[in-house]
Amino acid sequence: MITSDSFYVYIFSWEKVVKNTVDLYNTVSKFFPNTYIINSSKNNKLPIDTDYQIQLTNDYFYGGQFQTAINHIPKGKIIGIITGDVVPNSDWRAILKNSIDALSTDIGIYAPSLTNTKHHTGPYRRRLRDSLYHVNNTDCTCWFISPKIYTSILYIPFYNISNLGWGIDIICVQEAWKRDLHVVRDYSVKINQPKGTGYDKEQAHWQMKDLLHYYNNSQNKIDISKQQIK
């Protein structure tokens, strides 16, 4: 049975969002008791319990933080990722309830609706049930991922290949589909995030290409080894 204790939530913090991250932590942790801050800012004295802080150096971006999270989480737990610039005043009680309901079924990735996502929210959405719709990409600003998915990609050195994080969402979605798990966005709850990025998008794009190349080659090797075993 999935409960709030089944989730380990990681808030990714960096220099410009430290204050908002702390406010976000104080709000989210009321509903998700296993909430941690993965802090890549120089400020390593955030005013929260130090047991719930993971301090990295400031050269860690989303990819490195994601790798840290999936290696930190206890076995069998559902992982939640939230970027530190998300506006805290969302309905986290509803997000917890709906994510429990979703991930107790054949859903592998669940996310609330992000107001300014670049991933389409147009008329071609296909409804799964209630307020849940199939999407090709949930957006990785705030999402919850089954252990069946992230445990299959622990071998990937995200920090070394795509430290800026592009491509992680694509890989997780593909891993979900391989397992016949649905990838959904929940349009009954919304989160907000300021527009804009503070990193080089061209560099992120090339890192994504390298990451997908690494992943696809790895899958080919896995397929070959399965054939040899047979």
Side-chain angles (χ1 to χ4, degrees):
M1 178 180 176
I2 296 178
T3 67
S4 62
D5 194 53
S6 304
F7 293 81
Y8 271 62
V9 174
Y10 297 88
I11 301 174
F12 293 173
S13 179
W14 60 96
E15 196 69 38
K16 292 182 179 180
V17 300
V18 167
K19 183 182 183 305
N20 189 76
T21 296
V22 173
D23 292 341
L24 186 59
Y25 171 86
N26 289 332
T27 302
V28 171
S29 60
K30 292 175 183 176
F31 305 99
F32 293 89
N34 304 310
T35 297
Y36 291 78
I37 293 177
I38 298 183
N39 185 26
S40 295
S41 73
K42 296 176 183 177
N43 180 1
N44 59 4
K45 295 182 180 180
L46 302 183
I48 66 166
D49 188 331
T50 54
D51 289 342
Y52 292 91
Q53 296 183 53
I54 301 171
Q55 182 64 38
L56 303 176
T57 55
N58 60 3
D59 60 328
Y60 276 75
F61 291 84
Y62 192 105
Q65 291 171 315
F66 181 85
Q67 182 175 328
T68 301
I70 63 176
N71 281 284
H72 176 272
I73 188 170
K75 184 177 180 180
K77 299 296 185 178
I78 297 164
I79 194 167
I81 304 293
I82 309 172
T83 58
D85 56 350
V86 165
V87 177
N89 63 350
S90 297
D91 190 349
W92 297 104
R93 184 188 301 277
I95 291 171
L96 171 61
K97 178 186 179 302
N98 294 359
S99 59
I100 288 174
D101 291 345
L103 291 160
S104 296
T105 66
D106 54 353
I107 290 171
I109 301 177
Y110 165 89
S113 178
L114 179 65
T115 53
N116 66 343
T117 180
K118 63 185 175 63
H119 300 291
H120 80 77
T121 58
Y124 302 106
R125 297 172 299 175
R126 184 164 58 91
R127 184 179 178 185
L128 175 62
R129 55 182 173 266
D130 301 322
S131 58
L132 303 179
Y133 286 78
H134 294 279
V135 287
N136 290 331
N137 196 311
T138 58
D139 195 287
C140 57
T141 298
C142 175
W143 56 336
F144 299 86
I145 308 169
S146 164
K148 295 176 184 177
I149 296 169
Y150 70 77
T151 53
S152 67
I153 55 174
L154 289 171
Y155 68 93
I156 301 178
F158 293 103
Y159 170 75
N160 293 325
I161 302 175
S162 184
N163 190 27
L164 294 176
W166 283 26
I168 293 174
D169 46 4
I170 297 172
I171 289 172
C172 286
V173 168
Q174 290 188 18
E175 287 294 311
W177 289 343
K178 284 180 184 178
R179 290 160 179 75
D180 294 322
L181 296 172
H182 298 297
V183 177
V184 301
R185 189 180 296 144
D186 182 358
Y187 285 91
S188 72
V189 282
K190 294 184 178 180
I191 60 169
N192 297 288
Q193 176 197 44
K195 291 183 178 180
T197 57
Y199 57 83
D200 186 334
K201 289 185 177 181
E202 184 176 355
Q203 183 183 9
H205 172 76
W206 285 108
Q207 288 184 4
M208 177 182 70
K209 288 178 72 71
D210 288 342
L211 178 62
L212 296 180
H213 178 74
Y214 180 94
Y215 171 72
N216 290 328
N217 278 353
S218 299
Q219 296 308 297
N220 290 337
K221 290 177 183 177
I222 291 170
D223 290 342
I224 289 171
S225 79
K226 282 181 180 177
Q227 291 171 10
Q228 291 172 343
I229 290 171
K230 290 178 182 179

